[in-house]
Amino acid sequence: MAASSRKTSTASALASKRTLPGDPSSEAPSKRRSLALPLSLPSSGPFVEGSIVRIAMENFLTYDICEVCPGPHLNMIIGANGTGKSSIVCAICLGLAGKPAFMGRADKAGFFVKRGCSKGMIEIELFRTSGNLVITREIDVTKSQSFWFINKKATTQKVVEEQVAALNIQVGNLCQFLPQDKVGEFAKLSKIELLEATEKSIGPPEMHRYHCELKNFREKEKQLETSCKEKTEYLDKMIQRNKRYEQDVERFYERKRHLDLIEMLEAKRPWVEYENVRQEYAEVKLARDKVKDEVRKLKDGQIPITDRIEEIETQRHNLEARIKAKATDIKEASQKCKQKQDVIERKDKHIEEIQQALTVKQNEEHDRQRRISNTRKMIDDLQNELRTTENCVNLQPQIDAITNDLRRVQDEKGLCESEIVDKHKERETLEKEKKSVNDQIVQFDNLLNQKEFKLRQRYRDTYDAVLWLRSNKDKFKQGVYEPIMLTINMKDNKNAKYIENHIPSNDLRAFVFESQEDMEVFLKEVRDNKKLRVNAVIAPRSSYAEKAPSRPLSELKQYGFFSYLRELFDAPAPVMSYLCSQYHIHEVPVGNERTRERIEWVIQETRLRQMYTAEEKYVVKTSFYSNKVISSNTSLKVAQFLTVTVDLEQRRHLEEHLKEINRKLQAVDSGLIALRETNKQLEHKDNELRQKKKELLERKAKKRQLEQKISSKLGSLKLMEQDACNLEEEERKASTRIKEINVQKAKLVTELTNLIKICTSLHIQKVDLILQITTVISEKNKLKSDYMAAASQLRLKEQQLIELDESRQRLLQKCKELMRRAKQVCNLGVEQTIPREYQTAFQDLPNTLDEIDALLAEERSRASCFTGLNPTVVEEYTKREEEIEQLTEELKIKKVELDKYRESISQVKERWLNPLKELVEKINEKFSNFFSSMQCAGEVDLYTENEEDYDKYGIRIRVKFRSSTQLHELTPNHQSGGERSVSTMLYLMALQELNRCPFRVVDEINQGMDPTNERRVFEMVVNTACKENTSQYFFITPKLLQSLPYSEKMTVLVVYNGPHMLEPKRWNLKAFLRRRRRITFTQPSQ
């Protein structure tokens, strides 16, 4: 305590013998005005990253100048009340950028400066393996601000906070830093606050960040869910409201579209007229310019042609004179050659005649000899055949009998062929009928395939199961039916929406079984073996398919109901029975628009539980408490699967008809085969009879023919023997005559050869001249032809030019007039062009006058059909449509954002909750062990009421100090002060072994404990804080019990205060220790 002789108190804090990192010399004089007494035990062990190596204070609370050097493990700061123990705690807090208000003493740093001083200073040195970090804070009271330095270099508080946070120091966390004035508040921490403090203190750096993210994500998720729900409800209302006016709006816009189109067509028509004429004018002008250029070119091209023709004509006359002279010479030579050639040919012909005459005589003789031999042989053969010929007197009766049989067979064959033709016609008729029936069945199958295609697209597993069922029906004992959506056949596909809205999709794609055993076989194969996701149901044993409704439909027709759901479609009896028993389709009526208009009256009068109107489904319930009737309605969804209608009864009749046709075809084919076989037999019999008749006729006429032939041959033989010739004499005469003619012929050939050579030379010369004149004439003719063609073309072009010029002038005037009319229609000035909006609109309209006139008439007729439309309704509808579109887009964005938040929550929750549970379990294990060692009980668990409310998660501490009581939650009111202190201390000790923070500060927590608990707690603190690889621990207390256990690794810092303290310059720890040893050594000798 401060003495009366000195107005300021001085204090000293001394550490035991050790070498501190960062201290240049342990014997260096201290800069504080204090005196220290070495009552600490020696300690050893390394500092962990971020541990406090040194604390220096100047003009701070009770200190003028003071420096504290704590140890790396447990630091026990003891001293009397008021000496300045808690000032060291305040220095640690403020020196590491903590908030003044956290200390519970003052809310400004200036109040911590020693009274009467304008400035104060705190300097804290933190251990770092890369080099110690020295943080200095100078507090200026007059300016009410602090100046910060890191390693003697000026910086900002933010940088200091970042450096401190990087070392995981949290001076605002009660689990790490528990000042004296905050000890009682620890027990007041809520479970949520305790969890947050624990996360920050010992959890991984990202744990608390994940927790904060989860809370933020969950809050935003709730906001988005509420927003989506509100927007969806409001959007549904807007859509329902717009549906009521949709038809009127469509009619209004339809009429407006017609009127706008009429206006645009009337505006475009004169422009189309102008454009047509303008294009015609441009074409005419272009053609005129082209023709004019062609006329000029034609005139220029005629001059060189005339000159060339004159040159060629002179050249032709010269060549003709030369050719004429050559022709005369050739004619004379040719006549001489002709004469010689004629004589030679006559000689050749004479020789040929002699040779031919000799050849003829030789051939005649050889032929005569051959004919004589052949004739003799033929006469012998005929005589032999005549001798063997039978008597033919009795052959005529046989011929007559065969003729009669042949006539009868031909009649039968004609009848058979007629029957074959009839059978062929019958077969063609049946084939055509079969093709027609097949085409109708294919149409039905195509409709069924559409349903199967939709099933495959939406429920592929169910479709695969259908294919398996069709190929494995032999495995089932009773009836098995394909999915209900395939077996149901709507009588009118407009009513499909009622069935699809009434029967859930899970049952629509369910298979229906009549036997439980069959269903188990099916599910085992399909679900277990093939891993297909399918549904299956069992039809009731007693059929409900024909069960009558509780109320006849005639009673409900007055309300607009026209049918029950069951009567809207056809289905197999087991399927219909299942739907009646499960969904009561025989009890649910379907109404029309009149039903919806009087729905309240219908609900009150009919007391129906379910009903359908044209576009809505109504469900009516009676409140169990108030007995009030409550109804709800939902809009019907558009049908997707049952819109395809197939008349199965008609298809069955077609299949039966097809079977009957096939049976008839088989019968016709069998008849055709039999008739063809019969016809074949008749054909064979006919051929046999004809052959027999032919043989008899030939036998009858054969003898007479043989006698005539023998007589004729004998006469011919006699004539041939008389006509004989001497061939040798004839050959000698012919040879002599040929030799004489050949001698004459050789002389003539020599003379002819000479003449031919002369003639050939003349011909060559003439041909050359002819080729020259031919070339000249050809060129002349071509030039003349070109000239005449050019002249004719020139005349035509000149006439065409005149006509085109007249047409151009006429079209120019017409264009100007049409342009004026078109601009007048569009209200344009003379110099104005067509506006952009007109150009855009004109692009989508017809481009011909006929199409425009036809479309104008059509649009005027359509526009006249729309009457009685209110523009105000349309404006309101349009505003609501815009609002619906905007809301839909906003809702889509909100839902996407909501999905993202849910996905983020799932990911972050997994990274946060599992490590947190493991951490709490470890804390609970340590905490429970500590309490067990004190013969008490304690538990720590993670508490939450709702797993999704991440801001409600907390750590619950439950303790029991007496065996007769139950575990109770630690609260400010239930436990005594000492019990709260013990619980707090043990919880902090449980955190100590799991701690990742570099140091922990606990100020006077043992004040409310009884001696027994205080001793036990102290032992635990020493055992826990002095273990290897544990963080630094500051334990501040004004008093200690006697005979407490101490560890070599703990450091005791004693704070003294009084008027007789040494000056700081006079304090030397080593000198004091040497003096103390000398006193100790001299005492035994005395």
Side-chain angles (χ1 to χ4, degrees), residues 678-693:
T678 302
N679 189 54
K680 185 177 180 181
Q681 294 174 358
L682 291 172
E683 183 74 23
H684 180 69
K685 190 172 183 180
D686 180 79
N687 292 335
E688 288 180 349
L689 291 173
R690 286 179 184 274
Q691 185 64 28
K692 289 180 179 180
K693 184 177 179 181

Side-chain angles (χ1 to χ4, degrees), residues 236-418:
D236 291 342
K237 291 180 181 178
M238 297 292 287
I239 292 173
Q240 291 296 330
R241 191 178 301 172
N242 261 18
K243 277 187 178 179
R244 292 197 289 269
Y245 299 103
E246 189 170 353
Q247 188 174 2
D248 291 342
V249 172
E250 287 179 358
R251 293 179 68 248
F252 178 85
Y253 279 116
E254 185 68 21
R255 180 175 179 273
K256 187 175 184 304
R257 283 194 294 272
H258 291 313
L259 294 177
D260 292 343
L261 184 56
I262 289 170
E263 182 181 353
M264 283 295 121
L265 288 169
E266 291 175 345
K268 184 175 181 178
R269 193 180 189 285
W271 287 103
V272 173
E273 290 180 338
Y274 162 74
E275 183 62 22
N276 291 342
V277 176
R278 187 195 66 77
Q279 290 179 0
E280 187 178 356
Y281 167 76
E283 292 172 358
V284 169
K285 183 175 181 299
L286 183 63
R288 170 187 169 276
D289 295 341
K290 185 178 180 182
V291 170
K292 186 176 181 181
D293 188 54
E294 290 175 354
V295 168
R296 179 183 59 76
K297 290 180 179 179
L298 288 172
K299 288 181 178 180
D300 294 342
Q302 283 182 334
I303 296 173
I305 295 175
T306 306
D307 297 340
R308 180 61 181 162
I309 289 174
E310 293 175 355
E311 294 176 2
I312 290 174
E313 188 65 24
T314 301
Q315 187 178 358
R316 184 181 68 81
H317 286 305
N318 295 333
L319 289 171
E320 284 179 349
R322 293 172 62 188
I323 291 171
K324 189 173 182 181
K326 292 292 180 185
T328 302
D329 297 339
I330 291 171
K331 184 176 180 182
E332 293 176 355
S334 297
Q335 287 177 353
K336 294 178 180 179
C337 288
K338 178 67 175 170
Q339 293 171 0
K340 296 293 181 182
Q341 190 174 4
D342 290 342
V343 175
I344 293 171
E345 286 178 355
R346 285 196 295 271
K347 297 295 181 181
D348 289 337
K349 189 173 181 180
H350 193 190
I351 293 171
E352 185 178 351
E353 288 174 354
I354 294 171
Q355 291 175 343
Q356 287 179 355
L358 179 61
T359 302
V360 168
K361 289 180 179 181
Q362 291 174 343
N363 291 337
E364 286 178 353
E365 182 62 22
H366 292 155
D367 185 58
R368 188 181 68 84
Q369 294 294 333
R370 181 180 55 78
R371 284 189 285 111
I372 289 172
S373 175
N374 291 338
T375 302
R376 288 174 178 170
K377 184 178 180 181
M378 289 177 64
I379 291 171
D380 293 338
D381 292 338
L382 290 172
Q383 289 175 347
N384 292 331
E385 189 176 355
L386 180 63
R387 286 193 294 270
T388 59
T389 303
E390 296 178 356
N391 188 8
C392 302
V393 178
N394 298 321
L395 291 177
Q396 188 60 41
Q398 297 180 27
I399 293 172
D400 294 339
I402 291 173
T403 302
N404 293 332
D405 292 341
L406 185 62
R407 189 179 297 111
R408 180 179 53 78
V409 169
Q410 288 177 345
D411 292 341
E412 291 178 0
K413 182 182 176 184
L415 182 61
C416 183
E417 289 176 349
S418 176

Side-chain angles (χ1 to χ4, degrees), residues 79 99 169 236 343 374 496 571 633 718 806 905 943 991 1025 1070:
K99 305 298 181 185
I169 297 173
D236 291 342
V343 175
N374 291 338
N633 65 306
K718 186 176 181 180
E806 291 175 355
I905 287 173
Y943 177 81
L991 300 183
K1070 287 192 175 182

Side-chain angles (χ1 to χ4, degrees), residues 40-52:
S40 61
L41 296 173
S43 67
S44 62
F47 285 87
V48 298
E49 192 85 0
S51 297
I52 298 175

Side-chain angles (χ1 to χ4, degrees), residues 192 195 912-913 942-944 946-947 949-954:
I192 298 170
L195 172 60
W912 170 73
L913 189 57
L942 186 64
Y943 177 81
T944 181
N946 184 1
E947 189 175 349
D949 290 337
Y950 303 106
D951 55 343
K952 301 295 177 61
Y953 273 79

Side-chain angles (χ1 to χ4, degrees), residues 431-470:
E431 286 289 349
K432 291 180 181 178
E433 188 176 358
K434 179 181 178 181
K435 184 177 183 302
S436 175
V437 172
N438 276 328
D439 290 343
Q440 296 180 46
I441 292 175
V442 167
Q443 291 178 359
F444 282 112
D445 291 341
N446 289 338
L447 293 175
L448 290 173
N449 289 337
Q450 291 179 21
K451 297 174 77 173
E452 292 180 8
F453 178 73
K454 291 183 178 180
L455 177 66
R456 181 178 62 183
Q457 278 190 321
R458 186 70 180 273
Y459 306 110
R460 184 55 187 259
D461 285 2
T462 305
Y463 177 76
D464 292 342
V466 170
L467 298 181
W468 181 88
L469 176 63
R470 289 175 180 174

